[in-house]
Amino acid sequence: MGGGEKKILDGVRLVVIPRSRSKVDRARMDIWKRQGAVLDSVVKSPDSIVVVARPLSKAKFDSSVGAKYRGQPVVRPEWVVDSLVNRRLMPLDKYQYSFDEKKPEPTKEPEKLEASDPHKADQRLVGFLSMGARGEKGRMGEFANNAKVVKRFEEAIRIYELMQFFDKNNAFRIKNYRLAISAIESLDKPLTSAQDLKQFGLDRGGIAQHVEEILQTGTFSKLETLKQQEMGDERYQLMTQFKKIYGVGDKTAYRFVKAGYKSIQDIVHDQEMYASLTDAQKLGILYFDEWNERIPRTEVEEHYNFVVREAEEIDKNLKVMLMGSYRRGAETSGDIDLIVYTEGVNEASQVHENLYKLTRRLQESGFIVCSMTEVSPAMHKFNGGCKLPGAQKCRRLDIIGIPHAELGASTIYFVGNDIFNRCLRMLAQIKGYHLSNKGLFLAADKSLVESFDERKILHTLGLDWVEYKHRNI
DNA sequence: GGGCTGTACTG
DNA sequence: CAGTACA
DNA sequence: GCCC
């Protein structure tokens, strides 16, 4: 994060209509402001540019912009986005908003990217996304404060996660603590005050206060309160235990706690309750121990090699790739994540059928021992369990079948981690795109920008390549 | 007070 | 549709 | 927790 580069929108007055307070719109306008734009609610100057953020009728337009409208340029938001991406103001006429269009016609590709400088993007998100690309984490001693704050926040997260089963939803609080942790971990210098987190926008607000408290007093009063609450509440420990059963989320775990169960045995012994469980949950109980064990990296590779050999027997062009935490370099994984595709095959029915063929073959060979999803010629994905020949342990196996053309977007999705994906999707939204496992699309008309080339997807979002091992955010 | 990522499957 | 899962 |  260098700073001090010229602001692309310096002095540009924008009137954005309709006014919206959605998170995405806000984040987007924050970026514009940081790039020097002045945002007005009404036209205040002959130079004002009216940005129509969403399709709008002429009547609405007239009432929004009001009497002060003097024939200013009226453009689609892509004008601003493209100007930022290209680091210069784009010609307005190409981006004219017109009321009659059914779909507001967006620019196809955001032209050629002249520079891919994360600076122009939401600094906070990009800061997190480039985590790990930074300096060595040597000089451990100097970073004691960083570690201390991270540890406290992690403890708080753990307790908030327990509490949200019973009380209100802490998910977004938890998310923000996680983002703060990522920010601190990406810092290339010792943490001495919340000011050090300015580049992430965390130099004021609740998180900043907590950071200051921990740095100055070594204590974190909020955490102490949380610990008090956790202690002496057996329900929390039980919830955590029950939620480790595959297929059991918070609602079901809460049901178990309400029923007074103290162990998984209690669930099985209650015939009525057991009968009410889904097949997946019953498997989750059956394989409780094995599925909560970590799988060594080398064993993940053995499973992969087995599947690859079977796939080759079906069709030389049937490709299998290892995804998930393995791809991020983890020494152990919770499950085995595979993508399968067939060279040159994009048609949905064929994609599904090829996944079906592979799954059937793996079932017949005895590798797949159980399944949580229906195995049919129309399957999109497989979730189940597998065992290597002669092995004792059943491992969780996920396979998704994808059109070859979607390899890049699918890889982003399936390599993860989840937080990385969420940041990326958020960043996409802010920049007027929509990112899913199927591809990167323009938000305006859902037209495909890129799905095959992972690099291109990141690049279009203003990011340089992010190594898989740096996606653990 | 309300929103906060996006998709697929089960029952 | 709610619940759960996947990243 | 953060932002409007």
Side-chain angles (χ1 to χ4, degrees):
Chain A
M1 300 280 139
E5 271 168 66
K6 115 165 189 284
K7 294 180 176 180
I8 296 146
L9 300 176
D10 222 357
V12 176
R13 300 193 84 97
L14 299 176
V15 180
V16 182
I17 56 167
R19 300 186 69 179
S20 149
R21 61 206 56 185
S22 80
K23 170 150 185 148
V24 170
D25 288 343
R26 273 185 279 128
R28 180 148 68 161
M29 287 194 267
D30 278 352
I31 296 172
W32 299 353
K33 279 189 218 159
R34 270 206 289 281
Q35 289 300 334
V38 179
L39 294 173
D40 300 320
S41 50
V42 293
V43 174
K44 286 187 179 166
S45 135
D47 305 325
S48 290
I49 296 164
V50 180
V51 180
V52 182
R54 275 188 306 288
L56 202 62
S57 69
K58 187 82 172 79
K60 272 265 171 68
F61 171 80
D62 288 338
S63 66
S64 302
V65 180
K68 294 229 177 172
Y69 177 64
R70 297 266 187 275
Q72 269 78 17
V74 181
V75 298
R76 301 185 303 275
E78 284 81 7
W79 174 75
V80 190
V81 175
D82 285 3
S83 296
L84 293 178
V85 169
N86 291 303
R87 306 191 61 70
R88 65 185 160 83
L89 296 179
M90 304 304 286
L92 289 159
D93 53 334
K94 284 198 196 162
Y95 296 86
Q96 283 273 2
Y97 183 81
S98 78
F99 294 97
D100 298 331
E101 290 170 21
K102 294 251 168 352
K103 285 189 221 169
E105 185 73 34
T107 49
K108 276 297 133 204
E109 311 255 329
E111 293 211 354
K112 281 288 149 256
L113 302 174
E114 281 162 16
S116 150
D117 178 4
H119 218 75
K120 65 194 175 283
D122 183 344
Q123 295 190 8
R124 201 167 146 182
L125 283 172
V126 175
F128 297 132
L129 290 175
S130 56
M131 211 263 309
R134 288 172 171 276
E136 298 307 308
K137 298 219 171 88
R139 300 183 301 164
M140 290 302 271
E142 296 173 45
F143 289 86
N145 280 338
N146 307 41
K148 189 189 283 180
V149 176
V150 166
K151 195 179 152 203
R152 295 283 154 87
F153 282 2
E154 280 172 346
E155 286 181 89
I157 287 171
R158 186 183 60 76
I159 300 173
Y160 273 129
E161 278 181 334
L162 289 179
M163 289 181 41
Q164 71 176 338
F165 297 137
F166 297 96
D167 304 318
K168 57 175 181 214
N169 189 11
N170 293 312
F172 297 104
R173 180 181 272 113
I174 291 166
K175 188 186 80 175
N176 281 333
Y177 273 114
R178 287 228 165 88
L179 289 174
I181 290 172
S182 289
I184 293 167
E185 285 181 337
S186 75
L187 218 54
D188 50 12
K189 59 170 189 172
L191 184 60
T192 57
S193 93
Q195 275 303 107
D196 297 335
L197 301 174
K198 189 166 177 142
Q199 60 183 132
F200 305 102
L202 297 174
D203 54 324
R204 53 204 170 80
I207 295 265
Q209 286 190 341
H210 296 326
V211 169
E212 287 296 334
E213 186 194 349
I214 297 166
L215 290 179
Q216 285 170 30
T217 70
T219 58
F220 183 10
S221 51
K222 191 149 195 169
L223 176 61
E224 297 311 313
T225 315
L226 290 172
K227 277 181 173 167
Q228 293 263 312
Q229 289 182 58
E230 185 200 6
M231 271 198 312
D233 203 335
E234 183 190 28
R235 301 175 306 168
Y236 289 176
Q237 335 297 331
L238 288 173
M239 287 294 290
T240 313
Q241 187 70 359
F242 291 141
K243 278 210 14 159
K244 287 181 184 161
I245 303 169
Y246 180 93
V248 174
D250 46 10
K251 302 285 176 190
T252 314
Y254 185 55
R255 253 180 87 204
F256 294 158
V257 173
K258 262 195 315 191
Y261 305 152
K262 304 288 180 210
S263 72
I264 290 171
Q265 283 316 303
D266 293 344
I267 305 168
V268 180
H269 289 148
D270 183 338
Q271 287 192 22
E272 202 178 325
M273 179 66 87
Y274 186 75
S276 76
L277 301 183
T278 65
D279 293 346
Q281 289 165 337
K282 288 173 184 165
L283 287 168
I285 290 178
L286 186 60
Y287 292 113
F288 182 82
D289 291 326
E290 284 140 283
W291 288 357
N292 282 298
E293 225 177 77
R294 304 292 298 178
I295 311 169
R297 190 173 176 83
T298 50
E299 190 193 322
V300 174
E301 282 161 3
E302 288 179 55
H303 287 272
Y304 171 69
N305 291 333
F306 185 94
V307 176
V308 168
R309 282 195 295 272
E310 296 289 314
E312 278 172 354
E313 295 288 319
I314 297 171
D315 178 352
K316 278 282 172 221
N317 291 321
L318 187 56
K319 306 290 183 192
V320 185
M321 293 179 75
L322 252 175
M323 299 283 146
S325 54
Y326 177 89
R327 198 78 177 270
R328 299 197 305 272
E331 275 313 308
T332 64
S333 297
D335 61 4
I336 299 144
D337 298 316
L338 303 176
I339 273 181
V340 298
Y341 65 93
T342 312
E343 209 71 55
V345 169
N346 293 315
E347 211 232 318
S349 62
Q350 275 193 68
V351 169
H352 300 153
E353 198 173 315
N354 289 345
L355 173 62
Y356 174 64
K357 276 190 205 157
L358 178 64
T359 307
R360 282 309 307 258
R361 193 183 170 99
L362 293 170
Q363 280 181 322
E364 281 155 18
S365 68
F367 179 72
I368 286 178
V369 296
C370 64
S371 133
M372 270 76 79
T373 47
E374 194 189 346
V375 177
S376 83
M379 65 200 295
H380 291 221
K381 62 175 188 183
F382 168 83
N383 300 130
C386 64
K387 271 184 191 173
L388 284 166
Q392 298 302 306
K393 282 173 182 162
C394 176
R395 303 301 199 183
R396 279 277 298 106
L397 174 66
D398 293 329
I399 313 177
I400 57 175
I402 60 155
H404 191 193
E406 293 173 9
L407 187 57
S410 299
T411 302
I412 289 176
Y413 161 67
F414 221 26
V415 170
N417 65 9
D418 58 344
I419 310 284
F420 177 82
N421 287 347
R422 288 157 69 158
C423 286
L424 217 53
R425 287 173 182 199
M426 187 55 109
L427 183 62
Q429 277 197 42
I430 288 167
K431 297 199 158 198
Y433 298 96
H434 170 90
L435 178 65
S436 78
N437 52 344
K438 299 192 185 311
L440 181 67
F441 303 86
L442 278 179
D445 67 348
K446 309 273 178 269
S447 67
L448 179 66
V449 176
E450 182 61 45
S451 63
F452 182 72
D453 188 336
E454 212 183 331
R455 265 187 168 67
K456 241 187 204 161
I457 293 175
L458 294 181
H459 194 227
T460 307
L461 294 175
L463 296 171
D464 290 329
W465 178 248
V466 182
E467 295 293 340
Y468 294 127
K469 61 173 185 280
H470 292 148
R471 298 186 189 184
N472 279 306
I473 70 173

